[in-house]
Amino acid sequence: MPEGPSVRKFQLLTSRFVGQVVAKVGGSSKKINVNDLNALRLQDSQEEELQELQDSRADAPSAAGELGGSWLRFHFGLFGSIRANEFSRASRANKRGDWKDPTPRLVLYFESGGFLAFYNCRMHWCSSPVADPTSDILSAEFHRGRALDALRTSHPVCYTLLDQRYFSGLGNIIKNEVLYLTKIHPLTQGSLLAQSDLEHLLDCAIRFTSDWLQSKLQGKGLHLHIYQKEQCPLGHKVMKAALGAPGGWKRLTWWCPECQPAVLSGGGDLALGDE
Ligand SMILES: [Zn+2]
């Protein structure tokens, strides 16, 4: 599932071509007229993570490229990907036994001879991208104090971590993993945590996300501790529930009740029970 680091990889791959002019276009997309892209210059590329409420399965991250003054936005599905100077190859035979390589939705050939191939994505034109580096946990401009203030409220930390206003690029996998690694119950109210715990949680989220990006760039997978697991690494039974702010999007959350004990508020009531 593409999450922050996947989309960051998109940005790193495409940024090499910024400033270059499209010399030829290919791909199977019917949604846009690919020939419109001919002779346009790639002026910028940005990542963004938009949560689409109607799609409860996918994080629906997206990225945008500025071509000839307009932005072409790409939404990646669960299997969306982008390649630079190479095509995706079949990893197995299809039902008929053919080794048929995946068909890219769009291929942009640049005057330098390099090309970008986009797979399993939807594309549309838009007027401007929405990416704010101060909320991007991997950006040098990330606003750490604002993020800590958001975490320190009485909302459960698992809601705040997915708030893209403060933590863009932080998706559901990262949320689950860093709460396990910091031994924090997902429904803990941020106001009940010590400042040092909040700092540790934020550091852990940043480190996890940047390590994930590095392993992606090296083509390696990610070792997960709790996400979609039945047992935690210590062998305890893992709990699972769809959690989210009232009226908001509920996201599947896994936690270990032994490693991540519930923190009770002053009144002795947990924000929501463990079932
Ligand atoms: Zn455990």
Side-chain angles (χ1 to χ4, degrees):
M1 176 184 294
E3 224 173 279
S6 308
V7 185
R8 174 57 66 94
K9 184 176 171 185
F10 169 103
Q11 207 267 330
L12 291 175
L13 286 173
T14 52
S15 62
R16 295 188 221 160
F17 297 94
V18 167
Q20 293 193 32
V21 171
V22 176
K24 201 175 99 182
V25 191
S28 63
S29 178
K30 303 271 184 293
K31 282 273 156 56
I32 61 164
N33 182 359
V34 294
N35 291 322
D36 288 348
L37 296 161
N38 257 323
L40 295 181
R41 185 183 300 276
L42 181 62
Q43 285 161 322
D44 196 2
S45 70
Q46 288 205 22
E47 57 185 311
E48 43 193 71
E49 184 161 2
L50 296 177
Q51 298 193 335
E52 295 201 332
L53 298 178
Q54 67 272 31
D55 184 352
S56 59
R57 284 189 316 128
D59 273 307
S62 66
E66 187 180 17
L67 285 143
S70 292
W71 289 85
L72 186 59
R73 180 171 289 156
F74 298 85
H75 293 268
F76 294 96
L78 288 174
F79 304 103
S81 70
I82 175 170
R83 305 248 172 169
N85 303 327
E86 60 173 5
F87 289 105
S88 179
R89 307 303 304 265
S91 56
R92 73 186 98 155
N94 65 18
K95 282 186 224 131
R96 303 206 328 253
D98 300 328
W99 285 72
K100 195 169 175 299
D101 292 332
T103 306
R105 295 282 155 78
L106 176 67
V107 189
L108 295 177
Y109 297 91
F110 293 93
E111 53 190 356
S112 65
F115 66 90
L116 288 167
F118 301 82
Y119 295 91
N120 290 303
C121 56
R122 289 181 291 120
M123 287 170 269
H124 64 92
W125 290 99
C126 59
S127 57
S128 79
V130 286
D132 175 5
T134 64
S135 64
D136 176 353
I137 58 173
L138 292 180
S139 162
E141 295 163 59
F142 175 60
H143 200 312
R144 189 182 169 89
R146 198 175 61 187
L148 283 169
D149 287 346
L151 280 172
R152 203 181 290 115
T153 61
S154 59
H155 297 295
V157 286
C158 76
Y159 303 175
T160 312
L161 284 174
L162 291 183
D163 191 329
Q164 300 294 304
R165 290 175 299 170
Y166 310 107
F167 302 96
S168 71
L170 200 157
N172 200 37
I173 296 174
I174 298 171
K175 175 197 84 178
N176 279 281
E177 290 292 306
V178 300
L179 287 172
Y180 179 76
L181 292 170
T182 53
K183 304 190 190 319
I184 296 174
H185 189 288
L187 289 172
T188 306
Q189 295 172 274
S191 51
L192 297 178
L193 290 169
Q195 176 70 14
S196 57
D197 292 334
L198 295 174
E199 299 255 3
H200 181 51
L201 176 61
L202 184 55
D203 289 338
C204 190
I206 294 170
R207 194 170 58 242
F208 187 89
T209 310
S210 88
D211 287 352
W212 190 4
L213 172 64
Q214 285 310 314
S215 52
K216 268 178 183 297
L217 292 172
Q218 292 159 16
K220 289 192 254 165
L222 182 71
H223 173 69
L224 298 174
H225 301 85
I226 194 99
Y227 181 77
Q228 294 186 338
K229 304 284 187 196
E230 305 217 326
Q231 289 190 340
C232 86
L234 299 182
H236 308 131
K237 191 174 179 326
V238 162
M239 310 281 294
K240 179 174 98 168
L243 303 179
W249 192 14
K250 307 284 187 277
R251 305 299 304 274
L252 277 178
T253 306
W254 289 261
W255 73 96
C256 171
E258 306 237 8
C259 299
Q260 298 163 270
V263 178
L264 298 174
S265 69
D269 56 324
L270 184 60
L272 280 169
D274 286 357
E275 279 181 5

